[in-house]
Amino acid sequence: MAVNLVNTKISTQVLNFQPGGLPASFEVSVVNESNQFASFQIEIIAAGGGESLGTNWYSIKPAVSAKNPPGDSTKFEVTITNTPVAGFIGKMNLIVRIFSLELRDEDRQLLRLIVEAGVGAVPMQVELPIREFTTQPQGTIEIPVRVFNPSQLPASVSLKPIGLKPQWFINGDEKLLPVPPGNKAETSFLCQLPIAEEVPSQAYPFTIEANYLNGLPSSSREGVVNVTPSGFVDFQCTPEKQQIPASRPWLPQLKVNYTTYQLECQNHSNITQKVNIEVKEDEETKRKCFWEVQPEFVELNPGEVKNLQLLISKRRWWLGWKEKRAFKVKAIVPDNRVNINNENQYLQLIIHPILHPWLQMGLGCLLLYLLWYISWLNPNNPLFGHRDAVTFVQFNGVGDRAVSSSQDQSIIRWNIAGFTNPLINQDDGRMAKKIGKSVRIVRYKPVSNDVVAAGLENGEIQIWDVLGGAKKPKATFSLEGEKSDRVLSLEFSQDSHFLFSGHGSGVVAQWDVNSALLDDEKTMTNPINSKNFNFPVYALATVGHDKQNLVIAGRYNNLAIWNFTKDKLWKIPYNRPGSQNDYIVSMDSPEYKPHLLATADNRGQITLWDMNQCLKNSNNQCQILEKWSDGHGEKAVRSVALSRDGCYLASGGDDNRVMLWSLTQEGKRISPVGQEIRKEKQRFNSVDVKVVKNKILIISGNDDHKVRLDIRDLNKNVGCKQ
């Protein structure tokens, strides 16, 4: 027979319990009948009861007894707080199970429980069949809810989720669910999450709260909605095209070497993002720019917008055209679960030079104007050309150079090539800058053209070295005691040994040039010969085959011939009588036709002479080949010049014109109408003509202080050789 090691006694065999009323309790005494220490536990089992309440309908104190020695006893107090079977009324058996883990033995006692009708509210039992949900923003989830009514009365239960936002629920966040007594009922809540930036990625715990009329509130065990990362980061650069300077590029903004792009980052995801910016310049760009992103990075909470600044700087050139630069700007986030919209942005940058091209053109034009203004191309440039009326011009022997004199007291050499080529300075240099008096006339020495003689207003005659470039004359002539006797004309002898000067007093002096140039004493006051013709001498010319005869012309239309080798003198009747206001002001004789002479007077008449008869015999009159007064509108003809072959005659006068006349072999005009070469606003004082190759060169000087060159085609101007 087995020995019972656990002895149990219950304080009552029948127990009444009314749900909603006071709890019902009873005592259980346990005696250790073993021979060892042992601890005891109690479990109550209700006949017909389920697992819906578990052990929540009763409580036991203590839950576990201490280890008792053999023969010792332990008392347990059992309190019934709820009906073991929901909605049950009547009698039911309860089995009290007493057991010991040490003794491996148990005892069972039977207790009758009488369940009466309830007098108060019984809390609903709320269950969540699914306690964990995982979804993305804008996703839809269905939360099922199960309610058990343990009371003996039907209930209409109001269910409401606690912990989730009401606007997430599609059909509202509250539902009314009827639950029969002792039964279960189920329903569900349909939930749709908002956009990503409104629902950060995290766990959202919630419970379902149940309330019903005259009942105790209850709630379910906690559930959770896990929102996974979702969404994107929007990246935008504004503007896409920028320039340096940002505005008014036509102004020279020296200190503006940078520009700014706004980088906008907007977090449309549901997690916090850290955004970094990477900038790359087009690899084809040789001259790199410098850039900086401020700040280096930004942290964006969901739905947050922040801006960064991309500063790009580049040293600007002063000149040139605008430069174009291209940049690739990339936004980078460490979390690869989130995409970036417009991850790569392509920016353009236009860099203007400090001086805008239009301004460069303007400054270039201004610079060209300044260069022109200070160059020989500017007729008013004080560094080049004459500053006052030009009194005389003459070509050298080969026609590549010329010399001129002026009332500005200067003598200038001219490079003929510069008149046709603007890259060559026609002003070949001043032989004399400020002589002290205005220069009335200059003459090249016929042989070698290495010396120029100049006649001054104060009566001095100066000899200047063309090749030496000295700042002082090599020799100076002047009549003794006649410092104010103006030099009105000069003429070299054919061999350049002598120089003849005509003066306002009527004196014509003969000077030994070679002796003066070789002598250490460079100032001479006594000519080797002189004659006083008692009229101002305005023109001199050597004529005849031996060039031993000097023609002298001047006031009262006087013409005279002086054979200076034989010292013989005779007069030539002029074709019109002259008063004190009548002057023969210019003469010339061609080198190859020394018998031909051209004269011009202040009444506008030009006369062509054949000097053969009157040079052979002083009693014979000189033959007039032709004369005319309409060439310059009957205004004074100040200068005439013959080409060395005698085929062309140039003239200039008070009608402000330069004329060219083609002559026959005999020395007459081919056409009674001359060719107008130039017309200006002021009178011409001197002209010279030279035939070079197939061109006719005419140089002229007038009162507007200009020296001008005109060129005509020889083939289009019929002369005596054609």
Side-chain angles (χ1 to χ4, degrees):
M1 181 176 176
V3 179
N4 191 3
L5 300 179
V6 180
N7 186 9
T8 306
K9 292 182 180 180
I10 301 176
S11 62
T12 182
Q13 296 297 318
V14 178
L15 185 65
N16 293 323
F17 174 71
Q18 187 178 30
L22 295 175
S25 61
F26 61 94
E27 290 182 355
V28 178
S29 297
V30 182
V31 179
N32 183 2
E33 297 289 348
S34 70
N35 59 359
Q36 65 181 38
F37 282 85
S39 61
F40 301 94
Q41 298 182 44
I42 293 178
E43 181 183 13
I44 311 297
I45 301 173
E51 297 180 357
S52 60
L53 292 177
T55 60
N56 293 332
W57 56 277
Y58 66 91
S59 63
I60 301 174
K61 291 182 181 180
V64 180
S65 71
K67 288 186 177 182
N68 296 328
D72 199 4
S73 64
T74 299
K75 284 187 178 182
F76 292 92
E77 183 179 356
V78 180
T79 303
I80 296 175
T81 59
N82 202 349
T83 178
V85 179
F88 178 79
I89 300 175
K91 296 177 181 180
M92 65 185 308
N93 291 329
L94 299 180
I95 297 173
V96 180
R97 178 177 173 259
I98 302 98
F99 59 93
S100 173
L101 297 177
E102 291 83 5
L103 300 179
R104 296 185 179 180
D105 194 10
E106 66 176 34
D107 187 19
R108 289 176 179 255
Q109 298 291 327
L110 184 64
L111 175 67
R112 186 175 292 271
L113 179 65
I114 300 173
V115 181
E116 301 175 356
V119 295
V122 178
M124 297 292 110
Q125 297 177 15
V126 183
E127 297 179 9
L128 289 173
I130 302 174
R131 295 180 56 200
E132 187 171 350
F133 303 88
T134 301
T135 185
Q136 290 186 341
Q138 295 184 299
T140 303
I141 58 174
E142 186 176 4
I143 304 175
V145 181
R146 184 182 300 156
V147 181
F148 174 67
N149 183 4
S151 71
Q152 300 165 350
L153 300 173
S156 182
V157 182
S158 174
L159 300 176
K160 185 172 185 178
I162 304 299
L164 302 179
K165 295 183 179 181
Q167 55 267 32
W168 292 3
F169 295 92
I170 296 177
N171 298 319
D173 65 337
E174 188 171 355
K175 285 195 174 183
L176 194 61
L177 179 66
V179 185
N183 287 317
K184 295 180 180 180
E186 291 187 1
T187 187
S188 64
F189 289 91
L190 193 60
C191 179
Q192 184 177 26
L193 272 63
I195 58 177
E197 52 260 43
E198 296 181 5
V199 53
S201 176
Q202 64 183 44
Y204 293 87
F206 69 95
T207 60
I208 303 297
E209 184 182 75
N211 293 283
Y212 66 99
L213 186 62
N214 298 324
L216 298 175
S218 60
S219 60
S220 67
R221 296 181 67 181
E222 188 177 83
V224 64
V225 176
N226 294 314
V227 180
T228 59
S230 179
F232 61 91
V233 174
D234 192 17
F235 179 57
Q236 191 68 36
C237 297
T238 55
E240 294 183 357
K241 188 175 182 181
Q242 192 64 281
Q243 61 180 2
I244 302 177
S247 62
R248 295 179 293 180
W250 43 269
L251 286 178
Q253 304 174 51
L254 302 180
K255 297 183 179 180
V256 180
N257 293 314
Y258 67 92
T259 190
T260 303
Y261 294 86
Q262 298 296 326
L263 312 182
E264 183 183 272
C265 301
Q266 185 170 5
N267 188 2
H268 291 286
S269 73
N270 58 352
I271 56 176
T272 299
Q273 298 288 350
K274 178 181 178 182
V275 182
N276 292 281
I277 303 298
E278 181 184 84
V279 182
K280 289 185 179 180
E281 189 174 358
D282 188 354
E283 295 181 356
E284 295 181 358
T285 304
K286 295 181 180 179
R287 292 171 287 188
K288 299 292 184 180
C289 297
F290 300 94
W291 59 80
E292 180 182 3
V293 179
Q294 297 178 351
E296 294 183 3
F297 63 89
V298 290
E299 286 192 1
L300 300 174
N301 295 322
E304 190 174 10
V305 180
K306 286 188 178 179
N307 288 336
L308 302 93
Q309 285 188 336
L310 173 59
L311 278 71
I312 298 180
S313 60
K314 175 71 172 64
R315 181 182 177 185
R316 298 161 59 204
W317 301 103
W318 278 88
L319 302 175
W321 300 100
K322 61 184 179 183
E323 303 176 50
K324 293 183 179 180
R325 296 287 185 270
F327 299 90
K328 178 183 177 182
V329 182
K330 182 178 182 180
I332 303 174
V333 294
D335 195 336
N336 57 10
R337 297 173 297 176
V338 175
N339 296 325
I340 301 178
N341 277 358
N342 304 318
E343 177 183 9
N344 296 316
Q345 295 280 311
Y346 296 92
L347 305 180
Q348 293 183 1
L349 176 62
I350 297 176
I351 305 172
H352 294 279
I354 295 176
L355 298 180
H356 192 272
W358 286 109
L359 188 57
Q360 293 180 46
M361 293 178 62
L363 292 177
C365 293
L366 179 60
L367 179 61
L368 291 176
Y369 172 77
L370 292 176
L371 293 175
W372 170 83
Y373 184 80
I374 62 174
S375 73
W376 61 87
L377 301 175
N378 178 15
N380 297 315
N381 188 347
L383 302 177
F384 301 98
H386 292 292
R387 299 296 94 202
D388 208 338
V390 179
T391 56
F392 202 85
V393 291
Q394 186 187 17
F395 284 111
N396 68 353
V398 296
D400 64 341
R401 294 288 189 275
V403 67
S404 65
S405 62
S406 170
Q407 293 181 5
D408 65 0
Q409 308 176 16
S410 68
I411 303 172
I412 296 179
R413 291 184 65 212
W414 300 92
N415 185 347
I416 299 303
F419 287 94
T420 56
N421 187 348
L423 300 179
I424 300 175
N425 187 358
Q426 66 264 34
D427 190 330
D428 203 26
R430 280 173 164 76
M431 295 179 59
K433 291 185 178 180
K434 285 291 182 180
I435 295 178
K437 290 291 182 178
S438 65
V439 185
R440 294 294 301 258
I441 187 171
V442 287
R443 287 285 190 182
Y444 272 113
K445 187 178 74 167
V447 178
S448 301
N449 297 151
D450 57 345
V451 166
V452 168
L456 275 59
E457 187 74 23
N458 64 353
E460 286 187 359
I461 302 168
Q462 296 180 351
I463 305 298
W464 292 86
D465 187 358
V466 174
L467 303 179
K471 296 182 179 181
K472 293 183 179 180
K474 293 181 65 68
T476 302
F477 308 150
S478 62
L479 297 174
E480 185 177 5
E482 298 293 340
K483 289 292 184 181
S484 60
D485 194 358
R486 295 178 299 167
V487 179
L488 301 179
S489 59
L490 291 173
E491 182 75 7
F492 276 98
S493 63
Q494 185 179 19
D495 58 4
S496 301
H497 188 175
F498 301 111
L499 174 67
F500 297 94
S501 61
H503 297 264
S505 63
V507 174
V508 175
Q510 181 182 6
W511 306 91
D512 190 340
V513 178
N514 289 348
S515 299
L517 293 176
L518 295 175
D519 194 358
D520 292 337
E521 183 63 40
K522 296 182 179 180
T523 301
M524 298 180 62
T525 58
N526 295 316
I528 61 174
N529 200 354
S530 65
K531 294 289 183 179
N532 192 335
F533 291 87
N534 297 319
F535 58 85
V537 178
Y538 280 87
L540 298 173
T542 56
V543 295
H545 293 285
D546 54 2
K547 292 285 186 176
Q548 303 295 314
N549 298 289
L550 181 68
V551 181
I552 300 133
R555 194 175 185 180
Y556 299 104
N557 288 342
N558 280 312
L559 269 175
I561 299 177
W562 178 25
N563 188 313
F564 50 86
T565 57
K566 298 178 181 180
D567 196 19
K568 184 178 178 182
L569 180 67
W570 66 97
K571 286 189 176 184
I572 302 174
Y574 193 57
N575 52 63
R576 66 166 65 178
S579 64
Q580 62 178 359
N581 296 322
D582 295 318
Y583 300 86
I584 298 174
V585 292
S586 179
M587 286 192 304
D588 195 24
S589 178
E591 180 180 355
Y592 299 160
K593 293 181 179 179
H595 65 278
L596 184 64
L597 179 69
T599 62
D601 61 32
N602 64 342
R603 298 297 183 182
Q605 180 171 291
I606 300 174
T607 306
L608 293 172
W609 305 76
D610 183 352
M611 306 295 291
N612 281 323
Q613 297 298 323
C614 56
L615 291 179
K616 292 178 181 179
N617 189 338
S618 59
N619 295 323
N620 297 331
Q621 291 188 359
C622 296
Q623 181 183 357
I624 297 178
L625 299 174
E626 192 170 4
K627 61 179 179 179
W628 66 96
S629 300
D630 57 352
H632 289 270
E634 297 186 353
K635 291 186 177 181
V637 179
R638 299 291 172 181
S639 177
V640 288
L642 287 164
S643 62
R644 61 181 180 176
D645 57 6
C647 295
Y648 299 97
L649 171 70
S651 61
D654 287 3
D655 64 343
N656 309 332
R657 293 191 302 163
V658 174
M659 301 293 293
L660 178 65
W661 312 87
S662 298
L663 305 181
T664 63
Q665 189 69 34
E666 293 77 19
K668 296 182 180 181
R669 288 184 298 170
I670 293 177
S671 171
V673 179
Q675 180 182 353
E676 183 180 295
I677 299 300
R678 178 176 291 275
K679 182 175 178 63
E680 298 294 336
K681 294 181 179 180
Q682 298 188 43
R683 73 178 187 179
F684 284 90
N685 298 313
S686 179
V687 295
D688 196 10
V689 61
K690 180 74 68 175
V691 177
V692 179
K693 296 182 179 180
N694 60 343
K695 301 294 181 183
I696 304 173
L697 309 182
I698 303 103
I699 193 169
S700 58
N702 68 347
D703 279 354
D704 65 2
H705 59 261
K706 300 291 191 306
V707 173
R708 297 178 174 87
L709 177 73
D710 292 283
I711 302 176
R712 294 294 183 270
D713 192 345
L714 184 65
N715 297 324
K716 296 181 179 180
N717 292 271
V718 179
C720 59
K721 289 186 177 181
Q722 295 178 328

